[in-house]
Amino acid sequence: MILLLITEGLTMNFNQEKIIANDKFAALYSKLVLGIEKECVRITAEGKLSQTAHSDKFGNRSYHPYIQTDFAENQIELITPPCDSTAEVMDFLAAIHDVYYRTSQEYLWPASMPPEFEDSEIAIAALDDVDDVKYREHLAKKYGKNKQILSGVHYNFEFSPELLTFLYEENDNVTLSFKDFRNEVYLKLARQYTRFHYILTFLFGGTPFAVKGFLNPAEKLNRPVRSVRNSSFGYVEQLKKSISLMSLDDYISDLSSCILSGELINEKEYYGAVRLRGSNELKTLKTVGVRYLELRTLDLNPFEPFGISKETLDFIHYFLLFLLFKSETSDYQIGTKMNREIAFEHPNEPTVFEDEAKEVLYEMKRFYKPLKANGLLALIDHYIRKFENPQNTIASRLLERDLLKISRKNFEKSFKRPFQLAGFTQMELSTQNILFDAIQKGLKIEILDENDQFIRLSFKQHEELIKNGNMTSRDNYIASLAMENKLVTKKLLHEAGIAVPAGFEFQNIEQALAIYPLIKNQAIVIKPKSTNYGLGISIFKQGIDYEDYKTALNFAFKEDSEVLIEEFVAGTEYRFYVLDKQVRAILLRVPANVVGDGVHTVEELVAMKNDSIYRGENHRFPLEKIQLGGLEQLMLKEQGLKLESVPERDKIVYLRENSNISTGGDSVDVTDEIDKSYHQIAENVAKMLGAVVTGVDIIIENKALPATNDNYKVIEANQNPMMQMHIFPYQGTGRRVTKMMLDYLFPEC
Amino acid sequence: MILLLITEGLTMNFNQEKIIANDKFAALYSKLVLGIEKECVRITAEGKLSQTAHSDKFGNRSYHPYIQTDFAENQIELITPPCDSTAEVMDFLAAIHDVYYRTSQEYLWPASMPPEFEDSEIAIAALDDVDDVKYREHLAKKYGKNKQILSGVHYNFEFSPELLTFLYEENDNVTLSFKDFRNEVYLKLARQYTRFHYILTFLFGGTPFAVKGFLNPAEKLNRPVRSVRNSSFGYVEQLKKSISLMSLDDYISDLSSCILSGELINEKEYYGAVRLRGSNELKTLKTVGVRYLELRTLDLNPFEPFGISKETLDFIHYFLLFLLFKSETSDYQIGTKMNREIAFEHPNEPTVFEDEAKEVLYEMKRFYKPLKANGLLALIDHYIRKFENPQNTIASRLLERDLLKISRKNFEKSFKRPFQLAGFTQMELSTQNILFDAIQKGLKIEILDENDQFIRLSFKQHEELIKNGNMTSRDNYIASLAMENKLVTKKLLHEAGIAVPAGFEFQNIEQALAIYPLIKNQAIVIKPKSTNYGLGISIFKQGIDYEDYKTALNFAFKEDSEVLIEEFVAGTEYRFYVLDKQVRAILLRVPANVVGDGVHTVEELVAMKNDSIYRGENHRFPLEKIQLGGLEQLMLKEQGLKLESVPERDKIVYLRENSNISTGGDSVDVTDEIDKSYHQIAENVAKMLGAVVTGVDIIIENKALPATNDNYKVIEANQNPMMQMHIFPYQGTGRRVTKMMLDYLFPEC
């Protein structure tokens, strides 16, 4: 049971002991819904404000859900969607930064205070919407462009629905509707935040200086402070009368008055420490109710690659949660003044509010103690100690930092593994890449099932489900099943006049032996119906002895209950990636191999080749590491080699018979080298199978000659062809098939 | 090497010894391409010619590929497609007969000679095409309707392409094109057949009598014969000059002369023992070449349910093959006369041609001997003996048979397992049923992969691939994958406002233990993410103790690396089969059970229940046999029972926790009992998932009340829902969902 007192000022008190002792609370307290908006300016390699336009590679600029322009053209805003954990927020921030850096190729200034600038270096963002531009012109006129260029982090905090329901259910006041309860909870939190956010400004203030160009002529600042941005020189509320947070009606009516009187042009112009959010329009906020709080006082942390750390996100989360349960005092507005004051203190000095701040933090620690969450208690301790050692605060540490160097470092980090999308590296590479391209293009992304590589992308009302980067609503069910069945594929292609290897299929060895006379002088391949990286496959290129035939059949029947005998086709096998009637990439796949240098052993050569950042495991890298298991050692043995053998210089040693990339093979892009007549064949295969996406394997006798019926054979068509090997081949030009997929799925953007 | 002599008359001789010694021949001789056309008359239960119209249930009558009307409205023609083996032909005949009987509900007369009739009982087939009717009127006028009603079997014989290629490749005469070679081969075979087909008439002649109404007034027949049909009273060539088979040019020019002179109205009227086939029109036969022979002299074998036996098909095949290698004599036309003569002999008497016939058959036996094919040699012996014992021939055995009784028996056999399609019983039942419906509707059917239940249906140019009766081009790939992923399904349905059980998903036991406070007082189900007939599932209906929770989690994690905890939903689960936006059938599935009778043991009750023809194994029957494995015995144990226990009268003993039909459950159709509001929910599920076909499982609290958001939950949607359980439920009305599928796929017919 929660003691819920609704007194005059709608104060909402909680019984801390009861809350913390409830095991449901223990199961729910770490949950939240959190979205972050991070503003920052784009700069040149020399550390000047960038004068380029917002890149048109980011698609529809007025719609982009994650990458937008803020006040100025060179000021971007990176926005995460509402996430279910702080870890997810960090992942999302990492991903958006990766996309931003690799797309724009420009540095981002890591601090809220921009580098030195002239007013002329700031152009109002060239947005499509006339009203958006007009609004910015109004801001520029009223506050000055110099003030608007100051950036920060907005922390959009929402209780997890389960926690809020828990609190509501434990609530004694049965007359309060859920919506009213929710409003009261957020109002109390807004007041408490107003009262105590100075603590965060002490800890996370990150604008110790004002650069040349920032201060107005009348403003003077001769020493470092904790946060210019939170000080009266910053970008803070300057209304004649504070906006009340005592009730939702008061808040709405106070804001409406300011707009009516012209003191504010609209609700967006209200720059309080915290905003009540729930509806984009003030007039409907009462009906919708408060759904989350937007905390607006955080400076960028220049020491963090994405402007804020997970620890900070966590600390603020638990700080807010604690403030909800902490008793209120009536003077919450005083916090605004305290914040400006602490912001203006010298960063190396203790704050005048040290005692109260520490009292609050110790109370917070005591509150959480029964949960036995040691990490959280340590985190609180960590921040308490900063009050005793102000030189450890961000502002203080910033006094002697080279911010351009940090910009460069952050930028370069994003190119270290250019094939990955930070934050999503646990997913398969093709999905990482399609997510990258989707963010770049301005699509909304959602992970529906991470383990299953199942995502949803959307642009306005248009949604597409995608699995494995390849499987979409555009392909039909039976086409995928037909490709899965090699027998059916062959029948359909053969009927359509496409050359496929002749062959037989057997369910038992007797049937297969009976046709010996027919194949004894042929070049044939004997293989299990379901092939598994070459296991059970025998190739006879020049006729076959009866006993060998029998042995090979036994070998194949060990792997599958059905065995195929197919005409052996001489030539080289290529993979054609077809999407929407067109060949988009062609690859030669070379079996896992190393090249001798006359010095290193096979084992060492493999280790050296595997050392590449491009090789990894489980489809998370463009290439897979070469293994040294049974099959590889058998293959070595057949060549008269051991792991310890030292192959002579330039000798190619193959570790595998099969050329799959998944078993360590090398990928070589040959898209431009293959005659168009073969493209047509692959496109025809897709057409005949009714496939939108397919990976067609074609053996070509001599790629210098155009295709005739005699000099190629289609081996199979894959309904889920690997994408990453085309994007990042071992050799040759990468083909961004994930982007082609998005252009196909979302032609409207 | 084959000795190929092209002498004056284009005679083609083969060296028998060399052919038979070639092991390629041994591998190829049993292959052929064969199609059968079987004519017969429909009769009433009293054995009179049926006076009903050809059933309109057989769809488009002028197009139907397998079931057509012949000369008369009551005379049908059952046609197999070209098949690769005689076994396949028999399967196809069996299937068409099943469809015919169950659709028309009429008997078929088993013999070529119809039952006693009056001319007035024969109406010319009421075909759509005016020319087809005119042609039949011409035949009626010229030959008499009485003669046209005589039925027979046409044997459309084609060499297997591999055998023909083998013969061509071994051919010395390099100047002969493949097409010319093929023409010569079929011409020789046609001549040899003409010369020796009397042997078949002796063995297979099946029209010993002429019934009242058949003979013209001038014709007299006072004793039985072998084959009225092959005699001069029959329906045989009556041209002034025989059509030559010495060359294709001769054949074409002779036939053309007859048409020009008006002796034949068109090429179809030529009733020779054998026709050269390859083109429907005589004028293009030269260009196309001869592709197969149509042998026209076989009477129906009334002792065989489908008019001909596999042994007969095989014997004729090997007889023909042998005739190709046998030396020709110049007098092939004499065979026509010999055939009429042997046809007119008394069936109990030896034939005057016994010596030559036996010589030919002994030569045939000698020819095949080196192959060591004992079955074939025994078959030849079997037929040689009939020449010594004419009373064993069909005609002789027919002298005292009750043909109406045979008609009835054949008819009734088709209803013994009305859920199956004869000839295709090795496939899953849903595929058998969709094939049945397809044949009925007049679609062309093809089995692309029998083991994979992969078929193709077509109507004119419109083709559809189907797997498992359910999976088609109309469903899209990602919808099927979304349904396969229970997590994604739930997310999508929940978003769409459809009630699904609330729940959590865990990758390890620690995560799951952490939420214990949240579920300890709830009714929950703990289950592995991939459920396998109830393994690892625990249900707690009234709260849960921590230790029990831990045990249940361990139990579930043993089955899968991911575990779901879901709200337990009280009520009854129903399966809604949705096709094309509509619920087509609803089923209640009851777990495997037996009902006690106070006498039999559980084991005996199970055996008795399993004894039903409707229960079998592996989806080949409407219901599966109840097993008595570990899970069933555990279930018994939990009820305090053993296999030897004798349950009291009317006590229901469950053998399974799960209600799947595949584990012996009972199916109860409730389509008409469920409120339409639940239909709408299932239809909405299909819509939201973008599924054309889906099996939606819904738990309903009380089916008497309409659906609200509180009284149902959608458990899952299946992308490949079982069809047969709806067609043949254990209780209630069957719903022919396979037919609905065809009506959906082929709305044009």
Side-chain angles (χ1 to χ4, degrees), chain A residues 23-28 31 162 446-452 454 456 463 465-467 470-485 487-488 491-492 495 504-505 507 514-522 529 562 689 719-720, chain B residues 23-28 31 162 446-452 454 456 463 465-467 470-485 487-488 491-492 495 504-505 507 514-522 529 562 689 719-720:
Chain A
D23 59 2
K24 276 200 183 178
F25 181 74
L28 290 172
K31 306 206 179 303
E162 296 81 10
E446 274 170 283
I447 312 299
L448 296 184
D449 188 344
E450 187 179 288
N451 297 327
D452 204 26
F454 215 122
R456 175 163 52 191
E463 292 186 349
L465 299 176
I466 304 176
K467 184 171 142 77
N470 253 334
M471 298 148 132
T472 72
S473 64
R474 308 305 171 92
D475 257 309
N476 83 58
Y477 198 12
I478 201 71
S480 77
L481 295 166
M483 286 188 269
E484 212 167 81
N485 184 313
L487 197 68
V488 171
K491 266 190 200 175
L492 297 178
E495 274 181 12
F504 306 88
E505 201 197 355
Q507 255 106 60
I515 62 113
Y516 174 69
L518 304 180
I519 54 86
K520 65 182 179 184
N521 297 318
Q522 312 284 323
K529 191 177 178 190
E562 291 183 68
L689 296 174
Q719 84 278 21
N720 177 23
Chain B
D23 59 3
K24 276 201 185 178
F25 181 74
L28 291 172
K31 306 204 179 306
E162 297 80 9
E446 275 169 280
I447 312 299
L448 295 183
D449 189 344
E450 187 180 286
N451 297 326
D452 205 25
F454 215 122
R456 176 164 52 192
E463 292 186 348
L465 299 177
I466 305 177
K467 186 171 139 80
N470 253 334
M471 299 149 130
T472 73
S473 64
R474 306 305 170 91
D475 258 310
N476 84 56
Y477 198 13
I478 201 71
S480 75
L481 295 166
M483 287 187 268
E484 211 167 81
N485 185 312
L487 198 67
V488 171
K491 266 189 198 173
L492 298 178
E495 273 181 15
F504 307 88
E505 200 198 354
Q507 256 105 60
I515 62 112
Y516 173 71
L518 304 180
I519 54 87
K520 64 182 178 185
N521 298 317
Q522 311 286 324
K529 191 177 179 192
E562 290 184 68
L689 296 174
Q719 83 278 21
N720 178 22

Side-chain angles (χ1 to χ4, degrees), chain A residues 669-699:
Chain A
D669 179 83
V670 292
T671 311
D672 298 331
E673 293 169 32
I674 302 286
D675 193 87
K676 286 285 175 195
S677 55
Y678 296 102
H679 291 231
Q680 273 171 23
I681 286 162
E683 288 157 6
N684 220 8
V685 166
K687 188 178 163 193
M688 291 307 158
L689 296 174
V692 164
V693 173
T694 177
V696 185
D697 292 336
I698 305 180
I699 292 187

Side-chain angles (χ1 to χ4, degrees), chain A residues 487-530:
Chain A
L487 197 68
V488 171
T489 303
K490 263 176 76 171
K491 266 190 200 175
L492 297 178
L493 296 183
H494 177 68
E495 274 181 12
I498 292 163
V500 292
F504 306 88
E505 201 197 355
F506 301 101
Q507 255 106 60
N508 63 58
I509 200 158
E510 289 69 35
Q511 290 175 344
L513 288 174
I515 62 113
Y516 174 69
L518 304 180
I519 54 86
K520 65 182 179 184
N521 297 318
Q522 312 284 323
I524 58 162
V525 184
I526 299 177
K527 59 181 177 187
K529 191 177 178 190
S530 318

Side-chain angles (χ1 to χ4, degrees), chain B residues 158-177:
Chain B
E158 184 179 347
F159 287 101
S160 83
E162 297 80 9
L163 181 60
L164 208 58
T165 305
F166 161 76
L167 294 174
Y168 181 63
E169 280 170 1
E170 299 289 306
N171 161 22
D172 272 348
N173 187 336
V174 291
T175 59
L176 210 57
S177 75

Side-chain angles (χ1 to χ4, degrees), chain A residues 565-593:
Chain A
I565 297 184
E566 274 186 355
E567 150 188 27
F568 170 79
V569 184
T572 308
E573 185 178 319
Y574 297 92
R575 160 62 62 87
F576 290 67
Y577 186 92
V578 182
L579 163 65
D580 183 28
K581 308 185 186 76
Q582 282 172 62
V583 167
R584 308 296 184 125
I586 310 174
L587 212 62
L588 167 67
R589 288 167 297 172
V590 184
N593 68 83

